[in-house]
């Protein structure tokens, strides 16, 4: 299950979010807020923000994998 998840990781969210207007609106808001923040802070602070954002993305990936695996496990249990 884990191998399938990681092999298809990029396709799963793209398929689920491709037509999600709320998601795309939030992405536009995030980009706008980041651009405004970048103008106001130092290069060092911006670098640290990007590091924090990368860590948050990694945490979200771990969370999504756990949710996927829990759902796959439940499906296996129900199909038996």
């Amino acid at each position: 299950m884990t191998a399938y998840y990681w092999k298809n990781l990029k396709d799963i969210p793209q398929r689920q979010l491709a037509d999600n207007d709320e998601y795309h609106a939030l992405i536009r808001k995030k980009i706008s807020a980041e651009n405004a923040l970048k103008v106001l802070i130092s290069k060092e602070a911006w670098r640290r923000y990007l590091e924090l954002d990368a860590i948050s993305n990694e945490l979200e990936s771990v969370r999504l994998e756990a949710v996927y695996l829990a759902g796959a496990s439940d499906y296996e249990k129900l199909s038996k």
Side-chain angles (χ1 to χ4, degrees):
M1 285 185 279
T2 305
Y4 176 84
Y5 175 81
W6 285 107
K7 181 180 176 198
N8 296 288
L9 176 63
K10 66 180 178 184
D11 297 331
I12 294 169
Q14 286 176 348
R15 286 192 307 261
Q16 292 173 334
L17 298 172
D19 298 324
N20 188 318
D21 293 335
E22 182 181 8
Y23 171 78
H24 292 288
L26 288 170
I27 289 294
R28 285 190 296 275
K29 278 184 173 180
K30 180 183 182 208
I31 291 169
S32 177
E34 284 178 338
N35 289 338
L37 178 64
K38 189 175 183 179
V39 170
L40 296 173
I41 62 176
S42 69
K43 287 183 180 182
E44 175 64 19
W46 180 250
R47 185 185 66 76
R48 289 181 184 244
Y49 166 77
L50 292 177
E51 288 175 4
L52 179 61
D53 190 50
I55 292 167
S56 295
N57 290 338
E58 287 180 46
L59 286 169
E60 182 66 7
S61 292
V62 170
R63 189 189 70 77
L64 289 173
E65 181 184 11
V67 168
Y68 170 82
L69 292 174
S73 176
D74 289 346
Y75 176 79
E76 281 187 355
K77 289 175 187 173
L78 289 171
S79 65
K80 289 182 182 182

